[in-house]
Amino acid sequence: MTDNQTNTGASYAAAGVSIEAGDRAVELFAPLAKKATRPEVRGGLGGFAGLFALGEYEKPLLAAASDGVGTKLAVAQAMDKHDTIGQDLVAMCVDDLVVCGAEPLFLQDYIAIGKVVPEHVASIVKGIAEGCELAGCALLGGETAEHPGLMKEGEYDVSATAVGVVEEAKLLGPERVRPGDVVIAMASSGLHSNGYSLARHVLLEMNSLPLDGYVQDFGRTLGEELLEPTRIYAKDCLDLANECEVHTYAHVTGGGLAANLARVIPEGLTAELNRSTWAPAPVFRTIARLGQVDQAEMEKTFNMGVGMVAVVAEDDAERALAMLTARHIDAWRLGEVRPAEAGAEGAVLTGEYQRG
């Protein structure tokens, strides 16, 4: 081929994958990722594997949790706002780790995208890095994969795996739970990252509400309400467990409050929870009203305003509440653990919600 001839053969770029765009995305988000670090991190970005020095423990147990954000991403993509869903991603992983008392050490993300727009990828990673800082863990690495033909240009999906550690002697779980333990609720920041298929169906499809429309009950637009980032409880839970007799936690995600708490209540016991101790936020009431969604369906789909639950010894309940309040976490006494009656093991909700 002479110098003035053009190569018209197939190429990776012609197939829809731009190595240059990927490299540019790394350039943009590298400074953000470097801020989300810990002293135990070894090496830097760009290696084939992230390195982390475990440190000194007597009997360390490693914990790992993987998750994604779900169809909340559809809202972010519709609004062309990509800098908050990273916090959702981190929260869904690290707040699962702290249920057993594990301290989140590091997280690795995976971004699958139809077409790499460097600024969009950097915006996503910005949210992930900020979430890692809030959780006290390092963003150890990740992968961005361009999927032309499989995903449209504006589409992407994210997932991550977080790894933590807990001393075996400090492991939290159902075996620590006792009759008389107090169940403490920690308020959610909103829908968090669950139930968005139902929320979108009711609000956007059934009722055709515009994402940029102001909603009086929310005090902001519908889109802003739906993109409210998931609260990260990791540091609060770890500090609480260090100062109070915490027996276990429950992260309230898919399945709702009762189902998730039941996962950490041992056989023979039940956690009785009182709805009258709180009023669900307006977004939950709006979905229920506009979609005519019954209470049982709402409660198994959404967190209803409770994002994390602590099960603590009765003697430490007031101290735990005071600590959470001092950390600016809206917390309250939700119920208590009692011996189960036949067929009532796990967790049950009683009473009626407060009026909002």
Side-chain angles (χ1 to χ4, degrees), residues 79 203-204 208-226:
M79 295 180 64
L203 301 174
L204 306 181
S208 301
L209 299 181
L211 287 170
D212 59 357
Y214 183 84
V215 180
Q216 188 69 38
D217 285 347
F218 302 162
R220 53 183 171 178
T221 68
L222 175 61
E224 289 169 336
E225 178 69 29
L226 294 180

Coordinates of all heavy atoms in Angstrom, one line a residue, residues 79 203-204 208-226:
M79 N -32.1 11.8 32.6 CA -31.8 13.2 33.0 C -30.4 13.7 32.6 O -30.0 14.8 32.8 CB -31.9 13.3 34.6 CG -33.3 13.1 35.1 SD -33.4 13.2 36.9 CE -32.9 14.9 37.1
L203 N -45.0 6.4 38.4 CA -44.8 7.8 38.2 C -44.6 8.3 36.8 O -45.2 9.3 36.4 CB -43.6 8.3 39.1 CG -43.7 8.0 40.6 CD1 -42.4 8.3 41.3 CD2 -44.8 8.7 41.2
L204 N -43.8 7.5 36.0 CA -43.5 7.9 34.7 C -44.4 7.3 33.6 O -44.7 8.0 32.6 CB -42.0 7.6 34.4 CG -41.0 8.1 35.4 CD1 -39.6 7.7 35.0 CD2 -41.1 9.6 35.6
S208 N -47.4 9.7 33.8 CA -46.7 10.5 32.8 C -46.1 11.8 33.5 O -46.2 12.9 32.9 CB -47.6 10.9 31.6 OG -48.0 9.8 31.0
L209 N -45.6 11.7 34.7 CA -45.1 12.8 35.4 C -43.7 13.2 34.8 O -42.9 12.3 34.6 CB -44.9 12.6 36.9 CG -46.2 12.2 37.7 CD1 -45.9 12.0 39.1 CD2 -47.2 13.4 37.5
P210 N -43.4 14.4 34.5 CA -42.1 14.8 33.9 C -41.0 14.8 35.0 O -41.3 15.3 36.1 CB -42.4 16.2 33.4 CG -43.5 16.8 34.3 CD -44.3 15.6 34.6
L211 N -39.9 14.3 34.6 CA -38.8 14.3 35.6 C -38.3 15.7 36.0 O -37.8 15.9 37.1 CB -37.6 13.5 35.0 CG -37.8 12.0 34.9 CD1 -36.6 11.4 34.1 CD2 -37.8 11.4 36.3
D212 N -38.5 16.7 35.1 CA -38.1 18.0 35.5 C -39.3 18.8 36.1 O -39.1 20.0 36.3 CB -37.6 18.8 34.3 CG -38.6 18.9 33.1 OD1 -39.7 18.3 33.3 OD2 -38.2 19.5 32.1
G213 N -40.4 18.2 36.4 CA -41.5 18.9 37.0 C -41.4 19.0 38.5 O -41.0 18.0 39.2
Y214 N -41.7 20.2 39.0 CA -41.5 20.4 40.5 C -42.7 19.8 41.2 O -43.9 19.9 40.8 CB -41.6 21.9 40.8 CG -41.4 22.3 42.2 CD1 -40.1 22.4 42.8 CD2 -42.5 22.5 43.0 CE1 -39.9 22.7 44.1 CE2 -42.3 22.9 44.4 CZ -41.0 23.0 44.9 OH -40.9 23.3 46.2
V215 N -42.4 19.0 42.3 CA -43.4 18.4 43.1 C -43.5 19.0 44.5 O -42.5 19.0 45.2 CB -43.1 16.9 43.2 CG1 -44.2 16.2 44.1 CG2 -43.1 16.2 41.9
Q216 N -44.6 19.6 44.8 CA -44.7 20.4 46.0 C -44.3 19.6 47.3 O -43.6 20.0 48.2 CB -46.1 20.9 46.2 CG -46.3 21.9 47.3 CD -45.6 23.2 47.1 OE1 -45.6 23.7 46.0 NE2 -45.0 23.8 48.2
D217 N -44.9 18.3 47.3 CA -44.6 17.5 48.5 C -43.1 17.1 48.6 O -42.7 16.8 49.8 CB -45.4 16.2 48.4 CG -46.9 16.4 48.7 OD1 -47.3 17.5 49.2 OD2 -47.7 15.5 48.4
F218 N -42.4 17.1 47.5 CA -41.0 16.8 47.6 C -40.1 18.0 47.8 O -39.0 17.9 48.3 CB -40.5 16.1 46.3 CG -41.3 14.9 46.0 CD1 -41.2 14.4 44.7 CD2 -42.0 14.2 46.9 CE1 -41.9 13.2 44.3 CE2 -42.7 13.0 46.6 CZ -42.6 12.5 45.3
G219 N -40.6 19.2 47.5 CA -39.8 20.4 47.6 C -38.7 20.5 46.6 O -37.8 21.2 46.7
R220 N -38.9 19.7 45.5 CA -37.9 19.7 44.4 C -38.5 19.0 43.2 O -39.7 18.5 43.3 CB -36.6 19.0 44.8 CG -36.8 17.6 45.4 CD -35.4 17.1 45.9 NE -35.6 15.9 46.7 CZ -34.5 15.2 47.2 NH1 -33.3 15.7 46.9 NH2 -34.7 14.1 47.9
T221 N -37.8 18.8 42.1 CA -38.3 18.1 41.0 C -38.4 16.6 41.2 O -37.7 16.1 42.1 CB -37.5 18.3 39.7 OG1 -36.2 17.7 39.9 CG2 -37.3 19.8 39.5
L222 N -39.2 16.0 40.4 CA -39.4 14.5 40.6 C -38.0 13.8 40.3 O -37.6 12.9 41.0 CB -40.4 14.0 39.6 CG -40.6 12.5 39.5 CD1 -41.0 11.9 40.8 CD2 -41.6 12.1 38.4
G223 N -37.3 14.3 39.3 CA -36.0 13.7 39.0 C -35.0 13.8 40.1 O -34.3 12.9 40.4
E224 N -35.0 15.0 40.7 CA -34.1 15.2 41.9 C -34.4 14.2 43.0 O -33.5 13.7 43.7 CB -34.1 16.6 42.3 CG -33.5 17.6 41.4 CD -33.8 19.1 41.7 OE1 -34.8 19.3 42.4 OE2 -33.0 19.9 41.3
E225 N -35.7 14.0 43.3 CA -36.1 13.1 44.3 C -35.7 11.7 44.0 O -35.2 11.0 44.8 CB -37.7 13.2 44.5 CG -38.2 12.2 45.5 CD -37.9 12.6 46.9 OE1 -37.7 13.8 47.2 OE2 -37.8 11.7 47.8
L226 N -35.9 11.3 42.8 CA -35.6 9.9 42.4 C -34.1 9.6 42.3 O -33.7 8.5 42.5 CB -36.2 9.6 41.0 CG -37.7 9.5 41.0 CD1 -38.2 9.2 39.6 CD2 -38.3 8.6 42.0

